[in-house]
Amino acid sequence: MLILARDGSILRGFLSTDGQWRLPVLPDAVDPLYRRILIAAEDRRFALHPGVDPMAALRALGQLVVRQHIVSGASTLTMQTVRLLEHRPRTLASKLIETAEALALERIESKNDILGLYMTLAPFGGNLEGVRAASLAYFGREPSRLTPAEAALLVAIPRAPERLRPDRYPAAARRARNRVLTRIFAAGILSPAAYAEARSEPVPRQRLAMPFHAPHLASDLRKRAPGQAVIRTTIDPLLQRQVEALLHREITAFYRHATYAALVVANRRRRVVAYVGNAIFTSAARRGTIDMARVVRSPGSALKPFLYAMAFDRLIIHPETLLDDRRRDFGDYAPSDFNGRFQGEVSAREALQYSLNVPAVAVLQRLGPERFTSALAAAGIRLHLPQPTTGPGLAVALGGDGITLTDMATLYVALAHGGKVAPLRYRADEPAGSETVLFGPAAAWYVDDILSAVPPPPGLPPSALRRRRPLAFKTGTSYGFRDSWAAGYDREFTIVVWAGRPDGTPLPGSSGLTIAAPVLFKIADLLGPAPAGSGRPPPPGALLVSRRNLPPRLQRLQTGPLDRAASAEADAPRILFPPNGATLEWGERDLPLEAAGGSGALHWLVDGRPLPPPPPHRPLYWRPSGIGFVRLTVIDSAGRSAHANIRLMP
């Protein structure tokens, strides 16, 4: 099986069931010079004969009669292909069978297809079969570009593959190659200068390792489609090699038993373009064969942006809402900030930027842990709880759960898609998955605006800061310094990095900011500068006001769970007109907005933007600005709300 990059180059190959490196290849993917030399040296009338060359057969027979021994064979490339497809003892009966089968093969297959079979099955010594495997093993590259000497060597080896292996018998291989060169020089294929240069070229003296990139992803795709011969992925081969080399370099200066894992996703189509499951696959000390991109680890604070986004979307808070960062007990749970100090009164924007713990727990308490985890589960993101038999608690806000790196990347890509979650794509033929709305575009923009202003990690040189992509990014560090995370994104790409020990042993003093974030920005540098105008303007519905102009209930976080507050009174507000799901005709006219229930004055919002209150004892009218979908919200003085999604048609 072959696992290919998106351009068709090999990421990783797997041995066939009989232990051979048998790599399929099309003739058009091989250097035309090799094809010319092959036909000139093995079967000059290949394009003309029906599978058997009568002239070659008569010549061979005449030489046998005159000299009493075989001087040259009469096997055509078609006959050799038949022999490769089904091995038989070298007898006269076998020769007659091969002749008949060659004639039959020519009737059902084209010359090009027969040539492709030969190029795939020809033996090249050891467990190498086919010109592609041989070119990779002896020259370290695909056979699309070959020198005359290389092409001649690949033509010569199959004549006696074990005796002409250049890695074991370089002198014999060189002599066989030169005989092919002499023959094609006489046929006028090479000029005198090219012939002399080719004869002087050394033959390779060692066999190189086969391509081995994205090995964890390759293994996973193979398990999912065991019977498929070739799988083309979405991986960018150059970026994959660069990220692998970067993580390999970085890990050598890191703790001995620790490692990195990283994903890079092209946001527009959610295609994974780089996948490193473990920095050093061959390292036993770092458990290199374990794919840390799919292992459940604690996210630390890396999930906080999604907690805040859901709270923004449900109008529980606004970026300018005041939160308290003071010592506080939530029942028997008493969180503290990472540095052990408290900041006092802060805005939600500041609380997320500085990853303060107490405000995040207070927001989760208001939103509800069950609502948070259920929304993620509905979008296909499963959080793994320490005790699956119990419901989620407030510790979920600070990483008291588990998530895989692939799911973390899926979530951060959703921020670049306005809050819509869909599966990542690893295969080129994989269709786009269905989207699930986790939160609205206004909430996603709030988070993007907040995280874009987070200071870069310490230690980056000024030159790196000037050329870096303007990433919105967040870090996370799990309890006990076991997991360090950094996730960053812009409109084009999302990058997620994990660092830690696969066995879960702590790394004292490490954090997402100190060991994961610097690697995140180095990967971002590999992507080149962001295109001009890559910033995102605020979407419709974003409430761009100061704290004093917020609705009263959004100026400070309300206390208590949302469910408990909603059940305190049975008479919660509800929208009477237009009802949820209604389709209305749009025109140059005002639409009435009617609500009932609730306590105190009712405040209306259209796509998150507040409407001016109506005059006393007058109904409220609203004039839509155009066609499309609109979200209406009504809020009472107790902070309870009701929503209606409507569609305006021309």
Side-chain angles (χ1 to χ4, degrees):
M1 173 183 279
L2 287 181
I3 308 298
L4 307 180
R6 70 183 184 190
D7 65 350
S9 61
I10 298 175
L11 289 176
R12 182 182 179 183
F14 293 90
L15 292 173
S16 62
T17 54
D18 57 354
Q20 302 295 308
W21 282 112
R22 187 180 301 119
L23 308 182
V25 66
L26 296 175
D28 291 345
V30 180
D31 194 312
L33 178 62
Y34 168 81
R35 301 201 299 270
R36 289 185 65 194
I37 295 176
L38 175 65
I39 292 172
E42 296 292 327
D43 190 356
R44 286 185 299 158
R45 286 176 287 277
F46 175 68
L48 303 175
H49 63 65
V52 177
D53 187 350
M55 295 178 64
L58 290 173
R59 184 192 68 240
L61 181 61
Q63 291 172 338
L64 176 62
V65 170
V66 171
R67 302 190 184 185
Q68 299 299 306
H69 65 87
I70 296 175
V71 176
S72 64
S75 291
T76 64
L77 283 173
T78 308
M79 295 171 68
Q80 294 181 48
T81 302
V82 166
R83 191 181 308 135
L84 293 171
L85 287 169
E86 187 172 352
H87 297 281
R88 296 183 180 89
R90 303 298 295 273
T91 64
L92 179 59
S94 296
K95 194 75 169 178
L96 294 174
I97 294 172
E98 290 167 3
T99 300
E101 290 184 348
L103 293 170
L105 183 62
E106 289 269 359
R107 288 196 298 269
I108 61 175
E109 298 288 353
S110 68
K111 292 286 187 180
N112 202 56
D113 290 340
I114 293 171
L115 202 57
L117 284 171
Y118 176 85
M119 291 181 181
T120 298
L121 299 174
F124 284 88
N127 64 344
L128 296 178
E129 287 191 6
V131 66
R132 190 177 190 183
S135 181
L136 289 167
Y138 294 136
F139 311 135
R141 63 179 184 277
E142 295 278 356
S144 56
R145 282 181 172 270
L146 299 169
T147 67
E150 292 169 344
L153 180 63
L154 294 182
V155 168
I157 293 174
R159 295 177 173 179
E162 292 304 324
R163 297 198 306 270
L164 299 179
R165 287 179 57 172
D167 58 326
R168 291 189 177 179
Y169 309 105
R174 185 187 184 103
R175 288 193 297 270
R177 181 203 66 182
N178 288 348
R179 285 195 294 270
V180 172
L181 288 172
T182 299
R183 185 169 181 177
I184 63 172
F185 173 64
I189 294 177
L190 294 181
S191 66
Y195 171 63
E197 182 180 353
R199 286 182 62 90
S200 65
E201 187 174 309
V203 297
R205 291 177 174 266
Q206 63 179 353
R207 177 171 158 174
L208 306 175
M210 287 293 176
F212 195 76
H213 301 290
H216 301 93
L217 175 62
S219 295
D220 183 70
L221 293 176
R222 184 192 185 202
K223 290 176 185 176
R224 293 171 187 264
Q228 193 165 341
V230 178
I231 296 176
R232 185 177 292 230
T233 70
T234 58
I235 296 296
D236 179 321
L238 175 59
L239 180 64
Q240 177 69 30
R241 293 193 296 270
Q242 290 175 325
V243 175
E244 287 176 352
L246 170 64
L247 296 189
H248 193 285
R249 288 195 305 270
E250 293 291 326
I251 205 63
T252 56
F254 197 19
Y255 299 88
R256 181 170 176 265
H257 296 285
T259 190
Y260 281 109
L263 252 68
V264 182
V265 184
N267 290 334
R268 190 166 69 90
R269 296 186 179 178
R270 291 185 168 92
R271 291 182 171 177
V272 176
V273 292
Y275 186 116
V276 181
N278 204 304
I280 307 179
F281 185 87
T282 56
S283 172
R286 304 182 196 275
R287 313 286 178 92
T289 57
I290 299 177
D291 185 358
M292 297 309 300
R294 298 186 186 274
V295 173
V296 175
R297 305 296 295 218
S298 170
S301 297
L303 288 180
K304 284 179 182 176
F306 307 97
L307 164 61
Y308 278 85
M310 289 188 199
F312 292 147
D313 191 57
R314 288 158 177 78
L315 298 178
I316 295 172
I317 56 173
H318 179 273
E320 304 305 324
T321 299
L322 288 178
L323 310 175
D324 285 328
D325 182 39
R326 296 183 176 89
R327 187 176 301 279
R328 179 180 172 186
D329 293 338
F330 297 85
D332 58 355
Y333 184 50
S336 62
D337 287 333
F338 185 78
N339 59 12
R341 297 190 295 271
F342 296 95
Q343 306 299 316
E345 195 174 72
V346 296
S347 67
R349 177 186 302 276
E350 295 166 330
L352 179 54
Q353 280 180 345
Y354 296 104
S355 197
L356 303 178
N357 288 341
V358 174
V361 175
V363 171
L364 181 60
Q365 183 192 47
R366 181 69 174 168
L367 176 66
E370 285 278 4
R371 182 179 284 109
F372 178 65
T373 56
S374 296
L376 293 179
I381 306 298
R382 180 189 172 196
L383 298 186
H384 300 257
L385 302 175
Q387 297 178 337
T389 57
T390 62
L394 295 178
V396 167
L398 308 183
D401 51 1
I403 190 173
T404 64
L405 187 148
T406 54
D407 277 351
M408 185 75 80
T410 302
L411 280 176
Y412 273 88
V413 172
L415 287 170
H417 280 266
K420 297 176 182 176
V421 180
L424 301 181
R425 300 164 70 183
Y426 301 92
R427 295 179 50 143
D429 59 356
E430 196 170 359
S434 59
E435 294 183 330
T436 301
V437 177
L438 191 59
F439 40 79
W445 184 85
Y446 289 148
V447 171
D448 181 62
D449 186 53
I450 292 170
L451 297 184
S452 295
V454 174
L460 286 183
S463 58
L465 294 178
R466 284 194 299 271
R467 69 172 182 268
R468 76 177 181 90
R469 283 176 165 262
L471 294 180
F473 84 103
K474 181 74 181 72
T475 61
T477 307
S478 68
Y479 178 77
F481 303 100
R482 289 176 170 82
D483 303 280
S484 298
W485 297 81
Y489 66 97
D490 59 13
R491 294 184 68 177
E492 284 191 301
F493 295 100
T494 293
I495 310 165
V496 182
V497 176
W498 171 88
R501 291 183 57 161
D503 62 2
T505 306
L507 294 175
S510 64
S511 69
L513 188 63
T514 58
I515 64 174
V519 173
L520 173 82
F521 280 90
K522 290 178 182 179
I523 293 176
D525 286 344
L526 299 175
L527 302 174
S534 58
R536 281 195 292 269
L543 188 57
L544 307 177
V545 296
S546 62
R547 185 180 305 122
R548 69 178 64 181
N549 293 323
L550 286 172
R553 63 170 294 275
L554 285 176
Q555 292 182 4
R556 182 177 291 276
L557 176 65
Q558 307 297 307
T559 59
L562 205 59
D563 294 336
R564 189 185 307 163
S567 61
E569 295 182 35
D571 190 23
R574 58 190 185 278
I575 295 176
L576 301 179
F577 186 87
N580 187 41
T583 298
L584 304 176
E585 182 179 350
W586 175 75
E588 297 295 330
R589 59 187 179 88
D590 295 336
L591 292 177
L593 301 179
E594 299 181 33
S599 60
L602 298 179
H603 299 273
W604 285 85
L605 296 93
V606 176
D607 288 333
R609 296 180 182 274
L611 294 177
H617 311 296
R618 295 285 186 87
L620 178 63
Y621 286 88
W622 160 63
R623 175 165 293 188
S625 58
I627 62 174
F629 291 92
V630 176
R631 181 178 175 87
L632 301 174
T633 304
V634 64
I635 309 172
D636 72 358
S637 59
R640 298 168 302 180
S641 61
H643 306 277
N645 294 303
I646 66 170
R647 186 179 186 183
L648 297 166
M649 298 287 289

